[in-house]
Amino acid sequence: MFRYTKGVFAREIVMIAIALIFVFPVYILVNMSLRSANDSSSPLVPAAQPTLDNFVEAWNQAGLGTALLNSTIVTVTSVALIVAISSMAAYPLARVMSGLSTTLFWIVLAGMMIPFQVALIPLYQTMRDLGLLGSLASLILFYTGSQVPFSIFLYTGFLRTLDRDYEEAAAIDGAGTFRTFLSIVFPLLRPITGTVVILNAITVWNDFLVPLLYLSGTPQQTVTVALYAFVGQFVSNWPVVFAGLVISVVPVLLVYFLMQKQIIQGFAGGLKG
């Protein structure tokens, strides 16, 4: 029988305090976005006359519609490629126990140790020579290549914890390696796939430096670059700036709330595995 003790009460107080710490910046962000330009009261005080005009102005002036579309295309395509490449590459690395497999695995891990800033200029020159600068394809190619090593590491660790019974049964029934992976193994990777998806989606969506370099001088912009230019233009009108920030955050929060169960299972099961 559960007993409500002083220890339970103390833990609840601590958790409430932690929750308030995380909620406080969100409150300031939303509160400021609802204020009128001439409201000079403290950010802690709720808006006296809340207005949605700031969101309309931010959407129109910053070109957030196109920027959000570009960010969505880059994020969805990059994450899909990362999941497909990493899961298929990790399968033989986890199942084929040989010296070559171990060597290849360590080579993949070495890719995680190289800071992307070291290769930033050579990659920029390569994208230029390929004629990809100024296009979303350059971002997709960059993110896919840079995030695959870490994703392979996660998939390989999880695959090594899975039993081979289902795979052996599929082999007895005559299924080939690719068919076994697609029909048997990949569905079992759902927890770690959730982890890979959310970690890479956040990384790609929030990145600022690479889109700034690769899309510079073109009308193509991601949401982070659009907000950067917008803040410089409207630095004296902070409610409009905060409204733009809220708009940029909404898609990520929406995806999180829709996939909350899968994300929690991914972190609990995938990272543990």
Side-chain angles (χ1 to χ4, degrees):
M1 181 178 178
F2 176 76
R3 297 179 59 187
Y4 192 82
T5 63
K6 293 182 179 179
V8 175
F9 176 74
R11 287 194 292 270
E12 288 182 348
I13 295 299
V14 172
M15 294 304 298
I16 292 173
I18 294 174
L20 290 175
I21 292 174
F22 281 97
V23 169
F24 179 72
V26 179
Y27 165 75
I28 297 296
L29 178 64
V30 176
N31 185 40
M32 290 295 295
S33 68
L34 296 174
R35 292 190 171 196
S36 58
N38 57 3
D39 189 345
S40 59
S41 59
S42 171
L44 299 177
V45 179
Q49 296 179 336
T51 177
L52 298 177
D53 293 341
N54 297 325
F55 292 91
V56 177
E57 185 174 356
W59 181 271
N60 293 330
Q61 297 296 330
L64 291 181
T66 303
L68 285 171
L69 178 61
N70 290 338
S71 289
T72 301
I73 293 173
V74 171
T75 302
V76 171
T77 307
S78 299
V79 171
L81 289 173
I82 290 168
V83 169
I85 295 172
S86 301
S87 59
M88 288 190 289
Y91 184 50
L93 292 177
R95 288 295 185 249
V96 179
M97 306 306 296
S98 65
L100 178 60
S101 177
T102 303
T103 301
L104 290 175
F105 180 70
W106 283 106
I107 291 176
V108 170
L109 291 186
M112 297 171 50
M113 308 302 173
I114 302 175
F116 84 94
Q117 293 87 348
V118 175
L120 201 57
I121 294 179
L123 286 174
Y124 181 88
Q125 294 173 339
T126 301
M127 295 294 181
R128 180 197 60 195
D129 295 339
L130 293 174
L132 295 177
L133 286 181
S135 67
L136 300 182
S138 63
L139 301 182
I140 295 171
L141 186 60
F142 177 88
Y143 291 131
T144 302
S146 62
Q147 296 301 117
V148 158
F150 177 65
S151 302
I152 290 178
F153 170 73
L154 292 179
Y155 272 118
T156 303
F158 189 84
L159 276 164
R160 288 174 176 171
T161 66
L162 295 179
D163 293 330
R164 304 191 183 193
D165 296 343
Y166 293 111
E167 299 167 55
E168 293 173 354
I172 293 174
D173 290 339
T177 302
F178 182 75
R179 180 66 177 177
T180 299
F181 171 79
L182 195 62
S183 302
I184 305 298
V185 177
F186 189 72
L188 297 176
L189 299 178
R190 185 176 300 174
I192 192 61
T193 298
T195 303
V196 170
V197 167
I198 192 61
L199 290 179
N200 287 294
I202 292 175
T203 299
V204 174
W205 183 273
N206 291 332
D207 187 43
F208 169 74
L209 179 59
V210 175
L212 180 66
L213 292 176
Y214 286 12
L215 302 180
S216 178
T218 68
Q220 298 277 18
Q221 287 184 331
T222 60
V223 66
T224 52
V225 178
L227 285 174
Y228 172 73
F230 183 63
V231 170
Q233 184 180 0
F234 288 86
V235 69
S236 60
N237 193 348
W238 285 109
V240 177
V241 173
F242 278 99
L245 293 174
V246 171
I247 293 174
S248 69
V249 170
V250 166
V252 178
L253 292 179
L254 183 61
V255 170
Y256 175 79
F257 287 125
L258 292 176
M259 300 180 59
Q260 186 175 10
K261 182 177 180 181
Q262 291 82 354
I263 292 171
I264 293 175
Q265 289 177 345
F267 278 109
L271 292 179
K272 181 178 179 181

